[in-house]
Amino acid sequence: YPDVLSRQPGLVAHHLSEARLAERAVPYWEQAADEAARRQAHQEAIAHCTHGLEMVRLLPDEVQREHYELQLLVRLGNSATSARGYSAPEVGESFYRARELCSKLGEERLLHPVLVGLYFYHANRAELRTAETLALELLHLGDTQKDRVLQVDGHKTLVNARYKLGKFAQAQEHLEQGMRLYEEAPWPVTLLEQFDDPGPHLLVIGGCVLWVRGCPDRARQAVADAIALGHRHGHHLSTAHAVHMSGHLAELMDDWKSVERANEATMALV
């Protein structure tokens, strides 16, 4: 039944797991988690990852076991972020174990989502120096590999960290460099599905930076562009973040009616 294999990977994974066929079950748990995340059904994706990790423990080969564990932990960390918040304990636990495995296995490809996840975990716990260090590591990795995606995420995280640390001139530089790179080509759809769209994030935090730097018209336009971009790309989490943070800009402007509207619009997206 090839249609069942492609359309219902969770069902296939369940039956293989019941039969204790771990090596065959784990890839199907990964597919099921990916399919759920694409639908932004992150609680379901978390459950699939958890079942997959249970099966991983049954694999006899250590290297194979750790590769599968790493892949599932990245998925788990991303979906836990979307479902339970950036600073949820399981987010930090998943990404720190994943980082340990990246180092052990020499896996640079998955270091990208791991560093992004750890950055937001610490930033949302107000551990800003640690967050800034992780953001610099991410940008350095992107520059070393000449990887546009990594570079954009490095600038995105540094806009955020340096705005919160009061390094406003540096934050504006990261906004401008990040948006130049972001606009070079369409953002990969697979990355939109797996985590977020950095464009709205860069623009909405950048708008707050521009206000502090004395550019009110550019600030308003950046935030409006962030919300429009989020809606255009259809990424729910990125749109909700942009709408919510538009209220922060309104707060800086002492525009309390707009703060109220932003809060109402954010709640309508939940």
Side-chain angles (χ1 to χ4, degrees), residues 20 51 84 114 123 126 141 167 173 189 196 252 256:
R20 314 303 278 177
H51 290 309
R84 298 172 185 172
V114 170
L141 184 66
K167 300 178 179 180
E173 290 172 7
V189 173
D196 75 348
L252 295 176
W256 298 102

Side-chain angles (χ1 to χ4, degrees), residues 144-172:
T144 300
Q145 296 184 0
K146 298 187 180 353
D147 185 315
R148 180 178 75 101
V149 170
L150 285 167
Q151 290 171 315
V152 170
D153 272 350
H155 288 299
K156 176 190 79 174
T157 50
L158 282 163
V159 166
N160 192 312
R162 289 182 164 166
Y163 169 63
K164 291 174 179 175
L165 286 165
K167 300 178 179 180
F168 302 125
Q170 292 178 9
Q172 184 175 345

Side-chain angles (χ1 to χ4, degrees), residues 158-206:
L158 282 163
V159 166
N160 192 312
R162 289 182 164 166
Y163 169 63
K164 291 174 179 175
L165 286 165
K167 300 178 179 180
F168 302 125
Q170 292 178 9
Q172 184 175 345
E173 290 172 7
H174 290 298
L175 162 66
E176 292 165 356
Q177 291 174 44
M179 285 306 299
R180 274 197 298 272
L181 287 163
Y182 177 83
E183 291 172 346
E184 282 181 0
W187 200 248
V189 173
T190 52
L191 293 179
L192 291 174
E193 292 170 348
Q194 290 170 11
F195 196 62
D196 75 348
D197 183 346
H201 189 106
L202 274 162
L203 286 167
V204 77
I205 301 297

Side-chain angles (χ1 to χ4, degrees), residues 7-100:
R7 290 189 297 105
Q8 300 184 62
L11 178 62
V12 178
H14 170 75
H15 287 299
L16 290 171
S17 297
E18 288 294 300
R20 314 303 278 177
L21 298 172
E23 189 170 354
R24 293 175 60 191
V26 171
Y28 282 105
W29 284 124
E30 290 182 328
Q31 289 179 40
D34 290 344
E35 192 274 333
R38 277 193 292 272
R39 293 185 283 107
Q40 299 189 37
H42 290 289
Q43 294 287 9
E44 184 181 330
I46 288 168
H48 293 322
C49 290
T50 302
H51 290 309
L53 288 166
E54 290 169 359
M55 286 294 101
V56 163
R57 298 188 188 102
L58 302 180
L59 296 172
D61 182 79
E62 181 182 3
V63 174
Q64 183 188 41
R65 189 167 62 243
E66 289 180 340
H67 271 289
Y68 275 130
E69 182 186 2
L70 171 58
Q71 293 172 69
L72 282 162
L73 285 169
V74 172
R75 290 173 167 88
L76 178 59
N78 285 341
S79 284
T81 296
S82 295
R84 298 172 185 172
Y86 292 109
S87 59
E90 56 266 48
V91 172
E93 291 164 8
S94 297
F95 283 130
Y96 268 112
R97 172 60 179 159
R99 185 175 187 178
E100 179 185 329

